[in-house]
């Protein structure tokens, strides 16, 4: 398969999105009186270091910087890029960074194991329709979701958000998820593994969905971000409970800036496309057309509770997590 420069850059960007985030992959707000907005001098501190990933999902942080939204709140934010969220957890615990961006599956697992006492500062990204796809090759006997039973499907990391969301969608389509065999395949090896028959169906995201359709005649079998997994929460901005207790006004200011960035991004994809080349390997041409996830302009404990509940159902947690108790009061939107 030959792809142009823009497509190759976007593929690299998607690899970082699924690989790096997975290694970490509107409605009611929290019912609590939010801290009032500080008038600059009211902040406990003004300079923040935030560990982030070279992935589209973390774009709100960079839009907030580019559009002066942190500056408006009296904050100076310095991103510190890591390749996988687990790299940042020890940094967070040691106080080397103030907060980090990572996916909820990994964060909840760390909280469950007492690796950190988690505090969610702001929601980040949610899966958008057709941003992910389970696909079959044109000569494959797989024609419907039911045909996936007993088949082998790739994931970037076992027991993370890809598998968690797909399990629920499979059940909604009368497919027994226990019959699916998941194998961990690095992003660059998905196509060779698929063509060689090592996997029966491919778990892809854009721009690979379009590339596989146009160059290989691949067929879409199922959308992992549909039905019960619609707007599945993928990642967010978190810190420790101790840091939050010491910096409640900073936390509120940070959350407002992220929420306001997401509001700006909802109807203006150009502000997202502008920043993507600065922290991902996606070039400007591809950034103008690549599919974005949803960016959260408010925090919703109900939709986020799904992640913890599904993890408990999958026995990825040792005990229930009440997500609302981990969330900061919503101060905007």
């Amino acid at each position: 398969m030959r792809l142009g420069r823009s497509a190759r850059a976007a593929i690299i960007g998607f690899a970082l999105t699924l690989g790096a985030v997975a290694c970490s992959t509107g409605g009611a707000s929290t019912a609590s009186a939010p801290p009032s907005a500080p008038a600059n001098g009211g902040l406990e501190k003004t300079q923040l270091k935030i560990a982030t990933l070279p992935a589209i999902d973390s774009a709100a942080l960079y839009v907030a910087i580019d559009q002066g939204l942190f500056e408006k709140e009296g904050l100076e934010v310095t991103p510190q890029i890591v390749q996988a969220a687990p790299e940042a957890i020890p940094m967070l615990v040691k106080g080397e960074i103030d907060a980090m961006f990572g996916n909820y599956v990994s964060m909840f697992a760390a909280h469950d194991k007492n690796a950190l006492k988690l505090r969610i500062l702001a929601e980040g990204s949610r899966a958008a329709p057709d941003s992910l796809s389970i696909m079959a090759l044109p000569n494959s006997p797989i024609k419907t979701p039911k045909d996936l039973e007993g088949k082998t499907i790739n994931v970037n990391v076992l027991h993370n958000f890809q598998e968690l969301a797909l399990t629920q969608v499979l059940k909604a389509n009368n497919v027994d998820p226990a019959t699916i065999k998941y194998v961990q395949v690095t992003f660059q090896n998905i196509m060779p593994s698929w063509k060689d028959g090592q996997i029966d169906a491919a778990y892809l995201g854009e721009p690979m969905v379009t590339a596989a359709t146009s160059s290989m005649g691949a067929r879409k079998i199922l959308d992992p971000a549909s039905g019960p997994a619609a707007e599945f929460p993928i990642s967010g901005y978190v810190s420790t409970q101790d840091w939050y207790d010491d910096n409640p006004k900073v936390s509120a200011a940070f959350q407002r800036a992220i929420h306001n960035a997401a509001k700006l991004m909802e109807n203006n994809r150009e502000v997202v496309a502008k920043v993507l080349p600065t922290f991902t390997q996606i070039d400007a041409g591809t950034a103008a057309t690549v599919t974005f996830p949803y960016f959260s302009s408010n925090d919703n404990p109900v939709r986020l509770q799904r992640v913890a509940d599904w993890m408990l159902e999958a026995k990825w947690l040792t005990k229930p997590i009440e997500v609302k108790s981990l969330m900061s009061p919503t101060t905007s939107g």
Side-chain angles (χ1 to χ4, degrees), residues 43 45-52 58-81 97-101 121 237 243 249-258 261:
L43 297 173
K45 61 187 304 184
T46 58
Q47 296 185 336
L48 301 181
K49 288 183 180 180
I50 311 295
T52 185
S58 58
L61 183 82
Y62 293 88
V63 170
I65 293 172
D66 183 66
Q67 298 294 315
L69 301 178
F70 286 127
E71 184 179 1
K72 182 179 179 181
E73 295 289 345
L75 296 174
E76 180 183 338
V77 172
T78 301
Q80 187 163 335
I81 292 180
I97 55 174
D98 296 283
M100 62 176 286
F101 182 83
L121 301 181
Y237 302 88
W243 186 91
K249 292 181 180 179
V250 175
S251 300
F254 179 85
Q255 184 195 73
R256 280 193 297 272
I258 292 295

Side-chain angles (χ1 to χ4, degrees), residues 68-238:
L69 301 178
F70 286 127
E71 184 179 1
K72 182 179 179 181
E73 295 289 345
L75 296 174
E76 180 183 338
V77 172
T78 301
Q80 187 163 335
I81 292 180
V82 297
Q83 294 305 312
E87 295 177 27
I89 293 177
M91 299 162 61
L92 188 65
V93 173
K94 294 176 183 177
E96 297 172 356
I97 55 174
D98 296 283
M100 62 176 286
F101 182 83
N103 92 46
Y104 298 114
V105 173
S106 295
M107 297 300 100
F108 289 162
H111 182 82
D112 181 64
K113 296 173 183 175
N114 296 316
L116 79 162
K117 190 174 181 182
L118 186 66
R119 185 72 179 201
I120 300 169
L121 301 181
E123 287 195 53
S125 65
R126 312 188 309 280
D130 298 320
S131 58
L132 300 170
S133 184
I134 305 299
M135 305 196 76
L137 292 172
N139 60 349
S140 169
I142 300 173
K143 308 294 183 183
T144 69
K146 189 69 175 176
D147 295 332
L148 292 170
E149 288 189 340
K151 300 301 189 293
T152 299
I153 299 176
N154 64 288
V155 290
N156 291 79
V157 176
L158 294 171
H159 292 175
N160 216 281
F161 78 91
Q162 286 178 285
E163 187 177 337
L164 190 69
L166 181 57
T167 293
Q168 299 299 325
V169 177
L170 289 171
K171 290 193 294 185
N173 283 270
N174 195 33
V175 179
D176 182 1
T179 67
I180 305 296
K181 180 183 179 182
Y182 293 101
V183 293
Q184 185 169 314
V185 181
T186 59
F187 188 82
Q188 61 267 31
N189 288 326
I190 293 176
M191 289 302 185
S193 297
W194 196 14
K195 291 178 180 178
D196 292 344
Q198 297 173 37
I199 57 175
D200 300 306
Y203 201 143
L204 301 177
E206 288 289 15
M208 290 298 291
V209 172
T210 298
T213 302
S214 61
S215 66
M216 301 167 64
R219 297 174 285 105
K220 178 179 177 180
I221 303 300
L222 192 61
D223 183 349
S226 64
E231 297 195 34
F232 180 70
I234 297 174
S235 52
Y237 302 88
V238 306

